[in-house]
Amino acid sequence: MDEFIGLALSNFSLTALILGLIGAGISLARIARVQPLTQVIIIEKLFAYFMLFAVGIAYLYNFVIHVFFAEMAAHFIGWANSPFQYEVGFASLGFGIVGVLAFKQGLAFRAAAITGPAFFTWGAAGGHVYQMVVNHNFAPGNAGVVFWTDIFLPILAFVLLYLQYRLTKHSLS
């Protein structure tokens, strides 16, 4: 059990995505008991819970780790601790708060709420590649699950945004 918890916490971006899928599944199951599920409802719930968990809670977790456990976070990434940790932590706090707020918001708010974190994580992924190539840094926090979620979670976010836009536009016409 200790290993499972350690794995879940050290790969929290993936853990948050999975928790969001579970939350969306529970919400959809509750709705399905009283009305038929439509594509609009399914995408809305998937995107809402993605915002709450994969953006909101994940970035709040990142804030706590980088600010209150900076030495541990730096070691996990393969870096020396520095004041930069706190800057990443407080940027994450802002992204996390906006992600939580986006849970119950509309399309425009969600578009804004995923854009900042997307470019932040894509930039971080570029930094991870640099660290792998130049410094041979293959620490789990640099070259592991974090690297891949830095690339693919924003793509998933923009796919969900597009699907919600397309389905909402069609349901209005």
Side-chain angles (χ1 to χ4, degrees):
M1 187 58 147
D2 290 347
E3 283 183 37
F4 175 75
I5 292 170
L7 184 66
L9 293 178
S10 63
N11 297 295
F12 197 75
S13 50
L14 181 59
T15 300
L17 174 65
I18 292 167
L19 290 172
L21 290 172
I22 292 168
I26 292 168
S27 180
L28 289 168
R30 292 178 64 200
I31 292 168
R33 286 188 285 169
V34 295
Q35 72 183 61
L37 294 178
T38 64
Q39 286 182 332
V40 172
I41 292 170
I42 293 168
I43 293 301
E44 162 56 29
K45 292 305 176 187
L46 286 171
F47 200 13
Y49 282 90
F50 178 90
M51 294 306 308
L52 180 61
F53 284 94
V55 178
I57 292 171
Y59 278 98
L60 292 174
Y61 176 84
N62 203 42
F63 159 71
V64 169
I65 293 300
H66 280 282
V67 171
F68 298 105
F69 301 97
E71 187 67 42
M72 180 185 71
H75 177 73
F76 180 67
I77 299 167
W79 294 349
N81 193 9
S82 77
F84 178 69
Q85 291 271 105
Y86 300 98
E87 292 177 20
V88 169
F90 283 101
S92 294
L93 175 61
F95 290 147
I97 290 169
V98 172
V100 169
L101 292 173
F103 174 62
K104 292 287 186 182
Q105 297 300 318
L107 198 61
F109 194 100
R110 288 181 181 171
I114 63 172
T115 301
F119 285 94
F120 174 75
T121 60
W122 285 336
H128 294 313
V129 169
Y130 177 85
Q131 289 295 317
M132 286 183 259
V133 171
V134 173
N135 297 317
H136 306 289
N137 179 352
F138 291 94
N142 190 66
V145 170
V146 171
F147 170 69
W148 295 106
T149 56
D150 279 355
I151 295 168
F152 290 111
L153 284 181
I155 293 170
L156 177 58
F158 284 114
V159 166
L160 289 169
L161 178 69
Y162 170 74
L163 290 172
Q164 188 172 36
Y165 167 77
R166 191 188 76 190
L167 291 170
T168 303
K169 184 178 169 185
H170 286 340
S171 70
L172 295 175
S173 22

